[in-house]
Amino acid sequence: MEFSKLWLDYRKLADNRSRVIISCDKTLKDSAAFEELKIAMASMVPDAIVLWKSEVFDDDSCLIVLTIRPELSEEEYDIAASANITEICAGSETGLLYGVFAFLRKIALAGRFISFTAHKKPSQPIRMLNHWDEADGDIERGYSGKSFFFVNEELEVNERTVMYARLMASIGINGVVINNVNVRRKAKLLLSIEFAESLTNLGELFARYGIKLFICPDFAAPKTICGLDTADPLDENVIEWWNTTCALIFSKIKNLGGFLVKADSEGEPGPMAYGRTHADGANMLARAVKPYGGIVIWRCFVYNCTQDWRDKKTDRACASYDNFIGLDGQFDDNVYLQAKNGPVDFQIREPVHPLFGAMKNTNLIIEFQLAQEYTGQQKHVCWLIPMFKEIMEHHTRHDLPDDRVSRIVCGVAAVANTGDSYCWTGSELAAANLYGYGRLLFDEDVSCTELAEEWTRLMFGDDEKVTSAVKEILLDSKQAYEDYTVPLGIGWMCHPNDHYGPSPWGYEFDRWGTYNRADRDAVGVDRSASGSGYSEQYAPALADVYGDITKCPDELLLFFHRVPYTHRLHSGKTVIQHIYDTHFEGYAKAEHFAELWHGLEGKIDDRTFKNGCERFAEQLRCAKEWRDIINCFFHRLSGIDDENGREIY
Ligand code: BDP
């Protein structure tokens, strides 16, 4: 089984020692924190012997003291380091592990043992990854190979899952959902005795690394597993079945955190089939898991996916809010509603989901997508962290002293981008998304530039040319992708089904409710008060900005308004000229990225270099296709030429 260690490939430090002494209470000798230090020291100071406590301490020794301090909270750590003595204190073994990873990161970046202090506790309490893995090994929207959790229909615990747990703990992930929200085929049996043992083993591994295990159960399990003729959440037999099942699985799988549920959405079963509400469904499950400290995360991605494109009054963007706003305050305290970052579906540009500014009495989690379904499928480099940061810092105008999304949510989840590919994420550069995501949730103050630099150096070492090229690529990649793909927030100009490459009419006459409404006169969807009314779902101060064509930010103009091609943006350009310019510019940026990458030959390992070359070649091919098809589409519809006389094919 071959796989890369990504950012945990500890390199040799510049200063060697003959002894590394790890001093800690005997009970911590078996902890993951202690083990990680041993693994790291063996590579970073290969000539040293690593000892547990020791009487001998001289100039050539390095002492690392690990202490649990009950006055610190569980995930909080405190580090005081000098070149020879480091003390890491934390509130629990998990906190110690986070402290150890922070210490290792710092010395790896410095290349030697250094003096520093650090005191941190995570910015977000719930920091989750949602895997969309199927029990048969496929991954929905997976661009990194097959599942490494499910191999030959069995749930694995092996070297790879151990490495996975280390990687996740190193970036502070504390909850992992291992199976797809669409619960298909054999995954329906995850609640049955068949999987109990392997779930227990995986749960134990995760627990060692501070990660709670979650599964997506089949909401219809009382029918599919038990053979009842209903899954009605208010039916006594159904309630009884869930209570008994939860008693069983939680007693076996000690580290089970609870369930993630996609209900009444895109064909998944849910309470509405029985005339019940989402609150009825979520609360019934929440009560079944409550005695074991479990939680239920219930997704808000609910809309009519059989819409009629001729019906201009129905707007998919409105659906998620409309389905849930009336239920505010009706959910039990161990229910969390998980809403996607935008109202539609992980497009490169969407406004922030209106529920974050509106639901006042409900626990909320925001969901991002690391798997680059709509953002280049890990063939295009698209570093999403600047976008995540911007969304977390967005002011909802909720009537709270601090109205930012980061203060409103109780946690964050992201659809994972991993698989069994050698480098975990298909492309090495896509691993920067995974890394940046975890680090940002743990420490919201870290800047994107710092993160890009940190990740690049941990992955590729200290060559300045490599650092500066990779950093530049990462930091500019999201804007480039937005520029050569879909303009001004309109979204959905990709191929139906696989969601890759341009197809401007692809979704236009389809049932999914994802329209651009482009014709010869105008483009965009009117979502103002006089249109679909979507803009009114925001707090008044924001509704006023989004709903008013003169105030709406340029980058969201076509999401909120339908305008003629000659409409002038705040930037001073017309919509049509903006489309042409950004498409040419975006492609030129992609060309520049490829050149930068090619300049790194011999400076990064061959395998990574070649993988990058192949992917940049595909990014260029596809970016050109986007540029030409989108420009040509709007050129033909509008009949307006490019002011700069460039040829539009
Ligand atoms: C969409 C994906 C689909 C997922 C769905 C979801 O295309 O495969 O099942 O989201 O989030 O983006 O449930």
Coordinates of all heavy atoms in Angstrom, one line a residue, residues 16-21 48-49 51 54-64 82-85:
N16 N 21.4 18.8 14.9 CA 21.1 17.4 15.4 C 21.3 17.4 16.9 O 21.8 18.3 17.5 CB 22.1 16.4 14.7 CG 21.4 15.1 14.5 OD1 20.4 14.8 15.2 ND2 22.0 14.3 13.7
R17 N 20.8 16.3 17.5 CA 21.0 16.1 19.0 C 21.4 14.6 19.2 O 21.0 13.8 18.3 CB 19.7 16.4 19.7 CG 19.2 17.7 19.6 CD 20.1 18.8 20.2 NE 19.8 20.1 19.6 CZ 19.1 21.0 20.2 NH1 18.7 20.8 21.4 NH2 18.9 22.2 19.6
S18 N 22.0 14.3 20.3 CA 22.3 12.9 20.5 C 21.2 12.3 21.3 O 21.0 11.1 21.3 CB 23.6 12.7 21.1 OG 23.7 13.5 22.3
R19 N 20.4 13.1 22.0 CA 19.3 12.6 22.9 C 18.1 13.4 22.8 O 18.2 14.7 22.9 CB 19.7 12.6 24.4 CG 20.2 11.2 24.9 CD 20.6 11.4 26.4 NE 21.6 12.5 26.6 CZ 22.8 12.3 26.3 NH1 23.3 11.2 25.9 NH2 23.7 13.4 26.5
V20 N 17.0 12.8 22.6 CA 15.7 13.5 22.7 C 15.0 12.9 23.9 O 14.8 11.6 23.9 CB 14.8 13.5 21.5 CG1 13.5 14.1 21.7 CG2 15.5 14.2 20.3
I21 N 14.7 13.6 24.9 CA 14.0 13.0 26.1 C 12.6 13.5 26.1 O 12.3 14.7 26.1 CB 14.7 13.5 27.4 CG1 16.2 13.1 27.2 CG2 14.1 12.8 28.6 CD1 17.1 13.9 28.1
A48 N 19.6 10.9 17.0 CA 19.3 10.9 18.4 C 18.7 9.6 18.9 O 18.0 9.0 18.1 CB 18.4 12.1 18.7
I49 N 19.0 9.3 20.1 CA 18.2 8.2 20.7 C 17.0 8.9 21.5 O 17.2 10.0 22.1 CB 18.9 7.3 21.7 CG1 19.8 8.2 22.7 CG2 19.8 6.3 21.0 CD1 20.3 7.4 23.9
L51 N 14.3 8.9 24.3 CA 14.1 8.3 25.6 C 12.9 8.8 26.3 O 12.5 10.0 26.1 CB 15.3 8.6 26.6 CG 16.7 8.2 26.1 CD1 17.7 8.9 26.9 CD2 16.9 6.7 26.2
S54 N 14.7 10.8 31.6 CA 16.1 10.4 31.7 C 16.8 11.3 32.7 O 16.5 12.5 32.9 CB 16.8 10.6 30.3 OG 18.2 10.5 30.5
E55 N 17.8 10.8 33.4 CA 18.5 11.6 34.4 C 19.5 12.5 33.7 O 19.9 13.5 34.1 CB 19.2 10.7 35.4 CG 18.3 9.7 36.2 CD 17.3 10.5 37.0 OE1 17.7 11.5 37.7 OE2 16.1 10.2 36.9
V56 N 20.0 11.9 32.5 CA 21.1 12.6 31.8 C 20.5 13.7 31.0 O 19.6 13.5 30.2 CB 21.9 11.7 30.9 CG1 23.1 12.3 30.3 CG2 22.1 10.3 31.6
F57 N 21.0 14.9 31.2 CA 20.6 16.0 30.3 C 21.8 17.0 30.1 O 22.3 17.5 31.1 CB 19.4 16.8 31.0 CG 18.9 17.9 30.1 CD1 18.1 17.6 29.0 CD2 19.3 19.2 30.4 CE1 17.7 18.7 28.2 CE2 18.8 20.3 29.5 CZ 18.0 20.0 28.5
D58 N 22.2 17.1 28.9 CA 23.4 18.0 28.6 C 23.0 18.9 27.4 O 21.9 18.9 26.9 CB 24.6 17.2 28.4 CG 24.5 16.2 27.3 OD1 23.6 16.4 26.4 OD2 25.2 15.2 27.3
D59 N 24.0 19.6 26.9 CA 23.8 20.6 25.8 C 23.4 19.9 24.6 O 22.8 20.5 23.7 CB 25.1 21.3 25.5 CG 25.3 22.5 26.5 OD1 24.4 22.7 27.3 OD2 26.4 23.1 26.5
D60 N 23.7 18.6 24.5 CA 23.4 17.9 23.3 C 22.0 17.2 23.4 O 21.6 16.4 22.5 CB 24.5 16.9 23.0 CG 24.6 16.5 21.6 OD1 24.2 17.4 20.7 OD2 25.0 15.4 21.3
S61 N 21.3 17.5 24.4 CA 20.0 16.9 24.6 C 18.8 17.9 24.3 O 19.0 19.1 24.3 CB 19.8 16.5 26.1 OG 20.8 15.7 26.5
C62 N 17.7 17.3 24.0 CA 16.6 18.1 23.8 C 15.4 17.5 24.7 O 15.2 16.3 24.6 CB 16.2 18.1 22.3 SG 14.7 18.8 21.9
L63 N 14.9 18.3 25.5 CA 13.9 17.8 26.4 C 12.5 18.3 26.0 O 12.3 19.5 25.8 CB 14.2 18.2 27.8 CG 13.1 17.9 28.9 CD1 13.0 16.4 29.2 CD2 13.5 18.6 30.2
I64 N 11.5 17.4 25.9 CA 10.1 17.8 25.6 C 9.2 17.2 26.7 O 9.2 16.0 26.9 CB 9.7 17.2 24.2 CG1 10.7 17.6 23.1 CG2 8.3 17.6 23.9 CD1 10.5 16.9 21.8
S82 N 12.1 26.4 24.0 CA 13.4 27.0 23.7 C 14.2 26.0 23.0 O 13.7 24.9 22.7 CB 14.1 27.3 25.1 OG 14.5 26.1 25.7
A83 N 15.4 26.3 22.6 CA 16.1 25.4 21.7 C 16.3 24.0 22.4 O 16.4 23.0 21.7 CB 17.5 26.0 21.3
N84 N 16.4 24.0 23.7 CA 16.7 22.7 24.4 C 15.5 22.1 25.2 O 15.5 20.9 25.4 CB 17.9 22.8 25.3 CG 19.1 23.0 24.5 OD1 19.2 22.6 23.3 ND2 20.2 23.5 25.1
I85 N 14.6 23.0 25.6 CA 13.5 22.5 26.5 C 12.2 23.0 25.9 O 12.0 24.2 25.7 CB 13.7 23.0 27.9 CG1 15.0 22.5 28.5 CG2 12.6 22.4 28.8 CD1 15.3 22.9 29.9

